[in-house]
Structures are given as C-alpha cells and as structure tokens.
C-alpha cells in the first residue's frame, strides 16, 4: 500500500499535481500500539518487508522484545519517532483546503478551525488547519517514549511487559487532541456528526448549523467538506451538498464496497462554478446532484 502511495506521489508530482494523504483514526490507533482493527495480511506484510530487514541489520530479533509481542514490525513503523514517522506520517495532514473544498478524515467543527489553541467556555479551540497539521507533525516525528532498547536488555518478563505498556501510554498521553479522543469523540479523525447514519441525512439536528460554521472558518468561499470514516454504500452528499461522504468501504476488511471517486473540477463550470461528479468503476461520470440524499423523516 505504501509503495503505491509513493508511486502515485511521484506520478502526481511529474504531472504538476500532488498527492495529499490525510490522517485517520487508524493511524492514531497504530501509533499507540492498538492493532485490533489491523488486517492480519497487513501485519504479515510488515513482518516480511520491515521486520525481517531489521532482524538482518541487527543480526538478532531481540529488538522485538520492547514491543512485548504486540506486532513489533507494525508498531515500530507507526509509532511517534518510528520508521515511517519522518518520511511518510510526518507529511500527512489532519485537514487541507484545496480550492473551495476542505478535506478531512471524519469532520471538522468551527472550534477545530478558530484561531488560538485554548479553552473557550469549556470548548477546545484547536487553532486552524495550519496548527492542526503542525501539531500532528510535531507529535509523530518525536520519540516520546525515549531511547529504544534494540538489544533487548531486559532481566524479567515483567520488565518487557512494563516497557511496552509505558510505550503505549506515553504515545496516547502525548497525542494531540486533533488525533485523539476515541470512539464518540468530536476530533477531526473520530467525529461522525455529518456522516451518520450512512447514505442518509445526519441524525444530529445541529449538523447543518455545525458544518456551516466550520466552512465559514475553513476559508474564504469554502463550500463543501469531503470526509470518510463512516462507510457508505455509495459516495453521496448531505446537508445541502456541504457534506460529501466518500468512504465506500472498498477494503475487503471493511465491507468490500464498490470503489468510486469524487471528482471536483475547480471553477470548471458556468460562472466559474465547481463541477462535482462521481466516477464509477463502470466508466460513468455521475453528476454530483444525483447523489444528494434526502431527509427520510420528511413526509410528502
């Protein structure tokens, strides 16, 4: 998967574009050594391509002890200060604005984007898109757990377990709010205010008010928010086309959904309007207006 991202990034650069990767909640989980949702096949790939190489370089597999048997190759790659932290994870974004669209894994609220980084009437103020991305990078490129014990110098099993537990606790404790929170939290990688239930208008009665406020904070003339996180049966838009939900669960580890792509042509239409379409695997370009969901609670 990461080889594919690297290849696409090079191709995009050569074509005059760019590939921007966003943090999701699973990057947060992996960084803290939580792999309950990791695919076993993916774990084996980390073992073959990374773990085996580390074993060879050290002439030993004792470096694995510091992870107490908890997917050492994956953990060593994803943790703050880990093998992928500088070249890949450190270049990922929590959110980004391209043209009139703001992209994020789960969603954004005005409090995520308001200036500052403090508490305002009990509500966390995260500090804008730039600050969100800075916080994520500063955290992921730093080895908060201290020096690695790559030679496995432990005297007891208890020391091994304690070291791994401390590693996970430190990663979770130092994780910035924009990446943390867990299930049900209102962070940019966990919230579902605009995407749940799937393929329908959000159940949160304040969703439209929230997303309007967030888009106003995101930047001048930002008109829509594109998000994943909550699998849909097809790409769709809600809240007067302000919320585009594009996670179709294409991975077999999720629900084996049919892949689709959201295409946005900036200022490509009449009067410089954006053209928003959905590209299907069958080669169709579906007008975005055809993917608007409706409020099933409204009776005609």
């Amino acid at each position: 998967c990461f080889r594919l991202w690297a290849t696409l990034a090079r191709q995009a650069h050569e074509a005059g574009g760019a590939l921007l990767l966003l943090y999701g909640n699973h990057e947060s989980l992996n960084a803290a050594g939580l792999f309950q949702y990791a695919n076993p096949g993916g774990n084996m790939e980390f073992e073959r391509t990374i773990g085996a190489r580390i074993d060879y370089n050290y002439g030993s597999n004792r470096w694995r002890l510091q992870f107490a048997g908890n997917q050492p190759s994956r953990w060593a790659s994803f943790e703050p200060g880990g093998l992928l932290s500088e070249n890949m994870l450190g270049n990922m974004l929590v959110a980004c604005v391209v043209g009139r669209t703001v992209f994020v894994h789960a969603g954004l609220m005005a409090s995520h984007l308001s200036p500052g980084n403090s508490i305002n009437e009990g509500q966390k103020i995260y500090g804008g898109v730039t600050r969100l991305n800075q916080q994520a990078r500063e955290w992921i490129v730093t080895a908060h757990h201290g020096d690695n014990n790559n030679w496995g110098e432990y005297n007891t099993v208890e020391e091994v377990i304690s070291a791994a537990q401390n590693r996970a606790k430190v990663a979770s404790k130092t994780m910035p709010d924009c990446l943390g929170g867990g299930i049900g939290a209102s962070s940019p990688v966990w919230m579902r205010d605009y995407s749940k239930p799937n393929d329908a208008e959000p159940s949160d009665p304040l969703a439209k008010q929230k997303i309007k406020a967030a888009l106003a904070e995101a930047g001048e003339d930002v008109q829509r928010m594109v998000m994943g996180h909550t699998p849909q049966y097809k790409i769709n838009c809600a809240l007067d086309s302000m919320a585009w939900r594009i996670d179709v669960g294409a991975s077999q580890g999720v629900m084996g959904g049919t892949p689709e792509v959201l295409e946005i042509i900036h200022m490509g239409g009449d009067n410089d309007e954006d053209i928003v379409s959905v590209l299907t695997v069958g080669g169709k370009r579906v007008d975005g207006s055809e993917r608007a969901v409706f409020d099933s609670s409204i009776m005609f």
Side-chain angles (χ1 to χ4, degrees), residues 23-297:
Y23 275 102
N25 57 314
H26 289 269
E27 280 70 42
S28 298
L29 291 170
N30 283 349
L34 300 172
F35 307 121
Q36 63 267 40
Y37 299 112
N39 185 279
N43 293 335
M44 289 302 300
E45 184 176 4
F46 274 98
E47 283 297 324
R48 291 193 302 268
T49 60
I50 293 178
R53 184 65 185 180
I54 301 175
D55 290 345
Y56 176 81
N57 288 346
Y58 282 115
S60 167
N61 63 3
R62 290 188 63 82
W63 65 274
R64 297 169 178 269
L65 286 175
Q66 61 197 313
F67 300 100
N70 183 25
Q71 302 299 335
S73 299
R74 180 183 282 269
W75 198 351
S77 300
F78 277 98
E79 69 176 344
L83 299 173
L84 295 177
S85 64
E86 185 70 38
N87 293 329
M88 191 191 80
L89 298 171
N91 293 311
M92 294 175 68
L93 305 172
V94 177
C96 65
V97 176
V98 180
R100 297 171 175 140
T101 307
V102 59
F103 297 84
V104 65
H105 176 70
L108 291 167
M109 296 196 299
S111 58
H112 299 144
L113 300 169
S114 301
N117 189 33
S118 59
I119 301 294
N120 180 26
E121 298 180 355
Q123 187 176 37
K124 292 179 180 178
I125 306 298
Y126 292 69
V129 169
T130 299
R131 185 58 185 144
L132 292 176
N133 295 330
Q134 287 176 341
Q135 288 175 334
R137 176 171 173 78
E138 290 168 2
W139 175 72
I140 198 63
V141 300
T142 303
H144 304 282
H145 60 272
D147 294 333
N148 291 323
N149 189 341
N150 291 327
W151 300 110
E153 296 173 341
Y154 300 101
N155 295 315
T156 65
V157 172
E158 288 73 20
E159 285 185 12
V160 171
I161 295 174
S162 177
Q165 289 176 337
N166 179 69
R167 200 179 201 100
K169 288 178 181 177
V170 170
S172 296
K173 185 176 181 180
T174 58
M175 186 180 294
D177 290 329
C178 61
L179 295 179
I183 296 174
S186 61
S187 84
V189 300
W190 283 101
M191 65 181 287
R192 299 186 190 272
D193 300 51
Y194 313 135
S195 60
K196 186 177 179 180
N198 61 284
D199 300 279
E201 284 287 339
S203 57
D204 183 349
L206 299 178
K208 185 176 292 187
Q209 175 183 327
K210 290 178 181 179
I211 199 169
K212 279 185 177 180
L215 293 177
E217 290 285 352
E220 185 178 354
D221 200 26
V222 174
Q223 300 175 357
R224 67 190 67 85
M225 186 181 300
V226 175
M227 67 205 71
H229 191 47
T230 303
Q232 315 284 318
Y233 285 105
K234 60 183 179 181
I235 290 178
N236 62 75
C237 62
L239 304 174
D240 294 336
S241 298
M242 290 184 287
W244 278 91
R245 294 89 64 88
I246 66 169
D247 185 345
V248 293
S251 169
Q252 291 184 358
V254 180
M255 64 184 200
T258 302
E260 292 187 327
V261 173
L262 182 66
E263 177 189 65
I264 302 172
I265 302 177
H266 180 59
M267 300 177 67
D270 296 336
N271 301 315
D272 290 334
E273 291 296 315
D274 294 348
I275 300 177
V276 182
S277 308
V278 176
L279 309 182
T280 72
V281 292
K284 294 183 179 180
R285 176 178 277 104
V286 182
D287 188 282
S289 62
E290 297 182 26
R291 290 299 183 88
V293 299
F294 64 94
D295 188 347
S296 59
S297 65

